[in-house]
Amino acid sequence: MAFDAIETPFAKIDKIIGGSATYVAYAASNFIKPVQQISIVGNDFPQAEMDELTSRGVELEGVEIVADKKSFFWSGKYHNDMNSRDSLVTDLNVLEDFNPVVPDSYQGAEFLMLGNVMPKLQLSVINQLKVRPKLIVMDTMNFWMDIAMDDLKEVLKKIDVLLVNDSEARQLSGEFSLVKAAKKILTMGPKFLIIKKGEHGALLFNENHVFFAPALPLEEVFDPTGAGDTFAGGFIGYLAKTKDISFENMKTAIIVGSAMASFCVEKFGPERLKEITKADIDERLNEFVQLVNFDIDLV
Amino acid sequence: MAFDAIETPFAKIDKIIGGSATYVAYAASNFIKPVQQISIVGNDFPQAEMDELTSRGVELEGVEIVADKKSFFWSGKYHNDMNSRDSLVTDLNVLEDFNPVVPDSYQGAEFLMLGNVMPKLQLSVINQLKVRPKLIVMDTMNFWMDIAMDDLKEVLKKIDVLLVNDSEARQLSGEFSLVKAAKKILTMGPKFLIIKKGEHGALLFNENHVFFAPALPLEEVFDPTGAGDTFAGGFIGYLAKTKDISFENMKTAIIVGSAMASFCVEKFGPERLKEITKADIDERLNEFVQLVNFDIDLV
């Protein structure tokens, strides 16, 4: 949970609520309650934002508030293609000493989403859980591959689903072909691998199976910040709602994640996620069905 | 119909049969016979290759053989990502004075595929046909947008389906967003637009409808040469076989085109296309069904 400053080719905002956990919670809470949040903020994090999350069934007992520090702050500028960006400022602030503690009331959680933080912290959360969750999903990024690959590989051994983008899959595996990369990563721990390709959709790999989910072709991407986290939140939220972790159901969960991400990019930060209704989500899911459905009589 | 020399990060071949018309014919002849070819070759084009095409139902009356010249020759080298390439040699040879003549026996053709050549030549073929075909599909490229945009726009007014890649769609429309690009291009003549995105699949646009077909995730792309032409051949071949030019059937035709293209890249030039059977095609189409099929109960 954090603050972001975002500049795109179209617009600019100096301060907006952000952070992986925020986006995951906004997306997942459309499908499952409660969402039990673990995070850390400073004295500057608005109570109104906390209340907004609480009203959606997000429990905040695991969110530490540090009285004498500021929340994590990130500032970034997107390039014209909206697929790449430069980080301008990264102020760790409260994140410097983050030591996540799982509240007793969270014990027994069946679905665990590990947002993109230091692998050691992800491992700590897993180790604090007395009963292993039914499904552990992990997000990570190239930065941790650069500076904490050994820790990251430890976490990989303990999870079920890994979420990375295409260049991260290549970095982690040392393979350029995504099919070869997936095969290698599936020997490192996770049984399922999701490779996110931004505007080009996402691939789900499991054993010898592969599923492809497109991204919705949009007239405009207003702000891609948080799209990956929103995807993750929709994905695990749908799985938690349906309590079915088969490959078949994960296909649907990826479509749900893609639909949620397609909302996220329509406005700055999580603004659009705060507005959407169940009817909006159903309509968007139907657009995905139309987008990829075809009839075929074999030749 | 031409000769190519191809270098990829994996292998190299000094001379192999190529050319848009060759790939289109190999792909389309799996679905419809006859394929009535219009092209030009020199005195060096092997009779065995002609016979191979004839045996598949490809009629060659419209293929001019120039006794004192050589066939078109292109040589290219692919970069490591296999998505981009440098042209090393382009010897026009017979193409310099190509003046396509539609044989009388080709009159009445219901499906016309205009391969990627000078727009003036595409226009000439359209104008020679006494009865307008049921469907005219056109391929083109950035090169013609650079040097013959006015001619290209003339052809656009007379066709039904335009095939371009993503950067060409952006160049033709002046829009970065592919959705906006598509809207603009659909005002220029064609009722349908297919935007090919290589390993990221293809989009079909028509009025307010959009369909997305993925590319099959492959362990290795051995040689991408001709994949776009093979896609086009599979697409129009399937439409000609089914005689149904609705948006719904074009969705299926794009999947068929993608399946054919996925074979093309497995070996040098059209080698793989010469080997495959009806059973291979059916199996590959089934892989596409598996790749994108999902069940969804709306939220």
Side-chain angles (χ1 to χ4, degrees):
Chain A
M1 297 167 77
F3 287 114
D4 293 333
I6 302 161
E7 189 177 342
T8 76
F10 309 116
K12 198 179 158 172
I13 193 163
D14 286 337
K15 197 175 188 183
I16 191 164
I17 217 77
S20 300
T22 306
Y23 288 104
V24 170
Y26 271 115
S29 60
N30 286 288
F31 307 97
I32 186 86
K33 292 175 205 305
V35 172
Q36 299 176 311
Q37 194 88 320
I38 298 175
S39 187
I40 189 166
V41 296
N43 54 21
D44 51 354
F45 204 84
Q47 186 59 43
E49 294 287 349
M50 298 284 203
D51 294 345
E52 178 77 38
L53 286 165
T54 306
S55 76
R56 289 159 193 269
V58 182
E59 297 182 357
L60 302 174
E61 191 185 340
V63 178
E64 186 183 345
I65 302 173
V66 183
D68 60 348
K69 284 201 170 179
K70 287 188 167 181
S71 300
F72 175 79
F73 174 75
W74 174 82
S75 161
K77 183 176 175 175
Y78 287 89
H79 303 158
N80 280 332
D81 68 0
M82 291 293 235
N83 273 335
S84 53
R85 66 188 185 189
D86 294 323
S87 287
L88 303 178
V89 180
T90 306
D91 289 337
L92 287 179
N93 300 328
V94 291
L95 262 195
E96 261 175 309
D97 320 297
F98 186 29
N99 191 9
V101 176
V102 177
D104 284 344
S105 66
Y106 289 14
Q107 291 293 343
E110 287 190 299
F111 291 83
L112 175 62
M113 174 71 223
L114 299 166
N116 175 23
V117 284
M118 200 185 301
K120 264 192 198 308
L121 302 186
Q122 295 176 317
L123 197 59
S124 158
V125 169
I126 295 174
N127 289 337
Q128 288 175 59
L129 291 173
K130 290 167 189 160
V131 181
R132 191 196 189 274
K134 192 170 172 178
L135 191 78
I136 304 180
V137 181
M138 173 199 192
D139 191 14
T140 190
M141 72 186 296
N142 54 347
F143 181 69
W144 308 119
M145 295 176 193
D146 292 337
I147 69 163
M149 185 63 113
D150 288 347
D151 290 344
L152 199 157
K153 285 187 173 169
E154 278 309 301
V155 191
L156 283 180
K157 289 178 190 160
K158 306 208 163 202
I159 63 156
D160 301 300
V161 183
L162 175 67
L163 280 167
V164 284
N165 70 26
D166 41 3
S167 71
E168 289 156 356
R170 288 178 172 132
Q171 182 174 355
L172 183 58
S173 64
E175 293 284 352
F176 184 82
S177 152
L178 294 180
V179 177
K180 286 187 182 174
K183 282 193 179 168
K184 213 160 181 178
I185 292 169
L186 290 178
T187 67
M188 301 167 96
K191 289 181 284 295
F192 299 91
L193 170 68
I194 296 171
I195 300 181
K196 298 173 289 180
K197 304 197 296 171
E199 61 164 327
H200 301 303
L203 290 163
L204 167 66
F205 293 92
N206 165 237
E207 292 172 356
N208 291 319
H209 303 117
V210 57
F211 172 67
F212 177 86
L216 202 66
L218 297 169
E219 278 213 24
E220 244 167 42
V221 169
F222 184 80
D223 170 23
T225 309
D229 300 314
T230 304
F231 174 92
F235 174 75
I236 199 163
Y238 182 82
L239 292 178
K241 173 194 166 93
T242 52
K243 291 182 182 285
D244 172 356
I245 58 172
S246 66
F247 181 75
E248 280 308 306
N249 200 48
M250 282 198 195
K251 290 178 173 183
T252 308
I254 286 187
I255 297 289
V256 171
S258 303
M260 298 310 295
S262 76
F263 286 117
C264 178
V265 304
E266 291 178 346
K267 292 196 175 180
F268 267 132
E271 278 177 21
R272 185 74 179 117
L273 296 179
K274 294 182 184 179
E275 297 170 352
I276 53 170
T277 63
K278 185 182 169 310
D280 292 327
I281 297 173
D282 279 352
E283 194 187 322
R284 189 61 57 94
L285 287 172
N286 195 39
E287 286 181 59
F288 274 85
V289 172
Q290 297 306 316
L291 181 65
V292 297
N293 249 20
F294 63 90
D295 292 320
I296 203 156
D297 295 321
L298 294 187
V299 188
Chain B
M1 297 167 77
F3 287 113
D4 293 334
I6 302 161
E7 189 175 342
T8 76
F10 309 115
K12 198 179 160 175
I13 193 163
D14 287 338
K15 197 174 187 183
I16 191 166
I17 218 77
S20 301
T22 305
Y23 288 103
V24 170
Y26 271 115
S29 59
N30 285 288
F31 307 97
I32 187 84
K33 294 178 204 303
V35 172
Q36 299 176 311
Q37 194 88 318
I38 298 175
S39 186
I40 190 166
V41 295
N43 55 21
D44 51 354
F45 205 83
Q47 187 59 43
E49 295 287 348
M50 299 284 203
D51 294 345
E52 179 77 40
L53 285 165
T54 306
S55 74
R56 287 157 193 269
V58 182
E59 296 182 358
L60 302 174
E61 192 185 339
V63 178
E64 187 183 343
I65 302 173
V66 183
D68 60 347
K69 283 199 172 182
K70 285 186 168 184
S71 299
F72 175 80
F73 175 75
W74 174 82
S75 160
K77 184 176 174 173
Y78 287 89
H79 303 157
N80 280 331
D81 68 0
M82 289 294 232
N83 273 335
S84 53
R85 66 187 184 191
D86 295 322
S87 287
L88 304 179
V89 180
T90 305
D91 289 337
L92 288 179
N93 299 329
V94 291
L95 264 193
E96 261 175 307
D97 320 295
F98 185 29
N99 191 10
V101 176
V102 177
D104 285 343
S105 65
Y106 288 14
Q107 290 293 343
E110 287 191 298
F111 291 83
L112 174 61
M113 173 72 224
L114 298 166
N116 174 22
V117 283
M118 199 186 300
K120 264 193 198 309
L121 301 187
Q122 296 177 317
L123 197 59
S124 157
V125 169
I126 294 174
N127 289 337
Q128 288 176 59
L129 292 173
K130 290 168 190 160
V131 180
R132 190 195 189 276
K134 190 171 173 180
L135 192 80
I136 304 181
V137 182
M138 174 200 190
D139 191 15
T140 189
M141 72 186 295
N142 54 348
F143 181 69
W144 307 118
M145 296 176 191
D146 293 338
I147 69 163
M149 185 63 113
D150 289 345
D151 291 342
L152 199 157
K153 286 186 173 169
E154 278 310 300
V155 191
L156 283 180
K157 289 178 191 161
K158 306 208 163 202
I159 63 155
D160 301 299
V161 184
L162 176 66
L163 280 168
V164 285
N165 69 27
D166 41 3
S167 71
E168 289 156 357
R170 289 177 171 131
Q171 181 173 355
L172 183 57
S173 64
E175 294 284 351
F176 185 82
S177 151
L178 294 181
V179 176
K180 287 187 181 172
K183 281 193 180 168
K184 212 160 183 177
I185 292 170
L186 290 178
T187 68
M188 300 167 97
K191 290 182 284 294
F192 300 90
L193 169 67
I194 296 171
I195 300 182
K196 297 172 289 179
K197 305 198 296 171
E199 60 165 326
H200 301 303
L203 291 162
L204 167 67
F205 293 91
N206 166 235
E207 291 171 359
N208 291 319
H209 304 117
V210 57
F211 172 69
F212 177 85
L216 201 68
L218 297 168
E219 279 214 21
E220 246 168 40
V221 170
F222 185 80
D223 170 24
T225 308
D229 300 314
T230 304
F231 174 91
F235 174 75
I236 199 163
Y238 182 81
L239 292 177
K241 173 195 166 90
T242 53
K243 290 181 182 286
D244 172 356
I245 58 172
S246 67
F247 181 74
E248 280 307 306
N249 200 48
M250 281 198 197
K251 290 179 173 184
T252 308
I254 285 186
I255 297 289
V256 171
S258 303
M260 298 310 295
S262 76
F263 285 117
C264 178
V265 304
E266 292 178 347
K267 293 198 173 176
F268 267 132
E271 277 177 20
R272 185 73 179 117
L273 296 179
K274 293 183 184 179
E275 297 169 354
I276 53 171
T277 63
K278 185 182 171 308
D280 292 327
I281 297 171
D282 279 352
E283 194 187 323
R284 189 60 58 94
L285 287 172
N286 195 40
E287 286 181 58
F288 274 85
V289 172
Q290 297 305 315
L291 183 64
V292 296
N293 248 20
F294 63 90
D295 292 321
I296 203 155
D297 295 322
L298 295 187
V299 187

